[in-house]
Amino acid sequence: MYLHIDMDYFFAQIEEKRRPMASDKIIVVCVFSGRTEDSGVVSTVNYLGRSVGIKSGMPIAFAKKRAPPADSIFIPMDRPYYNEISAQIDSIIRENFEKIVQASVDEWNVDDPKSGEKAAELKNEILRETNLTCTIGVAPSLLGAKMVAAKVKPNGLIIINEEEEKKLIENSALEKVPGIGPKTTETLRLMGAEKVSDLPKLDRLRLVEVFGRKMGGWLSELGSGRYPSELGEDKDQDEISRIGTLKEKTRDQYMIKSKLKELEKEAKSWLIERKKSYRTLAIIFITEDLKTHTKSLSFRNPKGWSEDIEKEKETLVSEFLFENQMEIRRVGIRFGNFMDLGGQTTLF
Ligand code: DGT
Ligand code: CA
Ligand code: CA
């Protein structure tokens, strides 16, 4: 079975939960361009804002016309913070599953025979650890999982069997199928196909002729009921984090450091596989009040994965414990600002 996880109104939900008093307001996360006070576009908006017609990509000035000032908050994007939360969710998923691909900042694909039983538990754990809701679809194919998740958004969870999946996909309009864009939809419409169930009417050779071998072949497979399930590529990223839950809430340096050692190993095996060196190191602390704190260092010269960073970690941890009196619940490590090592396999 495949599992598709998509966070609900991700950036806006994070901002909403940061401001408990604002849960009845329209929250608009904006990319301000700075030219004039209102120039820029909407990144995303909560469901209240969507109900008055505000959407991703819309100019901020348009959105303001739809949102009464007293009932709405326009907030600049805080991408580093969203990335931190994304890494936290990634680590929760990794604690529960093995074959995982993070497809975007707020989306994961998982391949696991038992994913059906574990999906509800995962949804709860994400909520408990981050206070955020997500939507999870589980189906025999990844395509089915994505499509059924889209239907039960937000805060949804659904598991479907083969028969239900077939019905859902066959009855779907072509433009609702992930992977089929507006241009392909239009060409297919001209060829006489509106729904997935119309695809078998089109000859495979003809599809390949019009759309090329890859897309044409893909459409023909889709028409014959063989649904794609490749987990896809990991998103492009310029940092790798691993965050883990401590056995118990603690301020004990030894416990914190031994957890960090484990996480460092995981993150470094990722670096090694991709031949990356890095210029920034950060230690992430999630305290008992669920707040996320980061302590970081930059290096003038990029560091290779085999270089020792015990001292640096030690400094960051002690500094944090000195500045903050809370107990720590999760810790993480992050390497960022990569340099590609190309063909070079070792720095020494
Ligand atoms: P959802 O999944 O429909 O409940 O809502 P979102 O907001 O999670 O939408 P999604 O999954 O398509 O996108 C994830 C995040 O990516 C979203 O919270 C903000 C960002 N994003 C999406 N579309 C745009 C866009 O057009 N421009 C910019 N700057 N950011 C976007
Ligand atoms: Ca989302
Ligand atoms: Ca998404």
Side-chain angles (χ1 to χ4, degrees):
M1 294 289 269
Y2 291 85
L3 195 137
H4 178 73
I5 304 147
D6 186 12
M7 300 306 295
D8 302 323
Y9 62 108
F10 190 46
F11 298 175
Q13 190 183 180
I14 293 175
E15 296 295 351
E16 187 179 283
K17 301 282 167 74
R18 253 178 172 180
R19 301 169 177 73
M21 306 291 287
S23 65
D24 56 345
K25 294 214 189 303
I26 291 174
I27 311 260
V28 188
V29 178
C30 302
V31 189
F32 289 104
S33 68
R35 206 172 46 80
T36 68
E37 197 192 330
D38 283 348
S39 45
V41 295
V42 172
S43 165
T44 193
V45 57
N46 63 357
Y47 279 77
L48 195 59
R50 291 179 198 194
S51 72
V52 300
I54 303 174
K55 289 188 199 148
S56 292
M58 177 182 269
I60 295 164
F62 283 22
K64 285 204 166 161
K65 285 197 188 118
R66 292 170 186 263
D71 306 332
S72 58
I73 313 182
F74 286 73
I75 302 163
M77 270 230 292
D78 180 358
R79 196 56 202 255
Y81 184 60
Y82 312 151
N83 287 349
E84 215 76 273
I85 309 278
S86 171
Q88 235 188 98
I89 298 165
D90 186 68
S91 75
I92 296 170
I93 300 173
R94 277 169 213 281
E95 282 165 7
N96 288 282
F97 295 98
E98 284 196 2
K99 283 164 89 180
I100 304 152
V101 163
Q102 179 168 12
S104 75
V105 67
D106 81 330
E107 236 164 85
W108 289 263
N109 299 327
V110 175
D111 171 0
D112 186 300
K114 288 218 161 75
S115 52
E117 292 152 47
K118 285 151 75 181
E121 223 173 286
L122 175 67
K123 190 164 150 54
N124 281 333
E125 197 175 337
I126 292 174
L127 181 65
R128 218 172 35 240
E129 295 286 338
T130 66
N131 199 23
L132 298 172
T133 65
C134 64
T135 294
I136 304 184
V138 186
S141 77
L142 183 62
L143 183 73
K146 284 186 189 170
M147 288 178 64
V148 79
K151 286 216 170 256
V152 298
K153 210 178 243 260
N155 200 10
L157 169 66
I158 187 166
I159 303 171
I160 54 172
N161 62 28
E162 217 155 312
E163 203 180 318
E164 294 163 319
E165 175 183 81
K166 194 169 158 62
K167 220 192 226 157
L168 169 78
I169 297 179
E170 281 183 351
N171 288 325
S172 167
L174 288 162
E175 77 255 25
K176 292 267 170 71
V177 178
I180 304 188
K183 257 181 84 182
T184 307
T185 304
E186 181 53 19
T187 311
L188 285 167
R189 203 182 57 79
L190 293 171
M191 292 167 80
E194 306 262 352
K195 296 202 300 183
V196 173
S197 57
D198 297 328
L199 287 174
K201 290 193 289 198
L202 307 176
D203 184 53
R204 183 184 180 99
L205 285 173
R206 176 101 180 93
L207 285 170
V208 169
E209 203 174 272
V210 176
F211 298 102
R213 212 159 58 103
K214 201 156 164 231
M215 186 65 182
W218 190 88
L219 286 168
S220 155
E221 293 286 294
L222 179 65
S224 57
R226 283 185 296 273
Y227 305 135
S229 283
E230 303 83 49
L231 287 190
E233 297 269 316
D234 262 317
K235 71 184 169 100
D236 262 349
Q237 52 190 86
D238 194 41
E239 54 182 49
I240 171 73
S241 326
R242 284 293 176 261
I243 302 179
T245 309
L246 293 158
K247 280 199 200 74
E248 53 196 60
K249 285 183 242 169
T250 185
R251 294 178 53 78
D252 182 276
Q253 294 236 14
Y254 177 78
M255 277 180 72
I256 294 170
K257 279 193 247 161
S258 68
K259 188 75 198 177
L260 282 173
K261 185 139 215 126
E262 215 177 279
L263 299 164
E264 177 185 346
K265 227 174 118 194
E266 282 180 33
K268 283 195 167 163
S269 63
W270 189 98
L271 292 174
I272 292 168
E273 252 172 59
R274 290 162 185 80
K275 298 195 171 59
K276 306 265 192 204
S277 56
Y278 57 92
R279 282 208 200 81
T280 57
L281 162 70
I283 306 292
I284 301 155
F285 305 87
I286 293 126
T287 38
E288 55 192 322
D289 57 355
L290 292 182
K291 291 220 159 67
T292 301
H293 314 259
T294 307
K295 282 262 163 207
S296 66
L297 275 178
S298 292
F299 306 107
R300 191 189 303 256
N301 298 314
K303 272 202 182 295
W305 56 79
S306 51
E307 284 179 72
D308 183 79
I309 48 168
E310 287 308 310
K311 273 231 180 56
E312 287 85 351
K313 284 191 300 186
E314 167 109 46
T315 312
L316 294 172
V317 171
S318 333
E319 271 180 18
F320 180 78
L321 290 172
F322 180 74
E323 290 164 11
N324 190 302
Q325 300 314 310
M326 291 229 182
E327 297 225 88
I328 299 163
R329 172 183 173 120
R330 299 167 71 81
V331 286
I333 190 161
R334 181 176 67 224
F335 299 102
N337 208 344
F338 296 146
M339 276 264 299
D340 259 317
L341 290 181
Q344 201 178 341
T345 51
T346 165
L347 280 183
F348 304 103

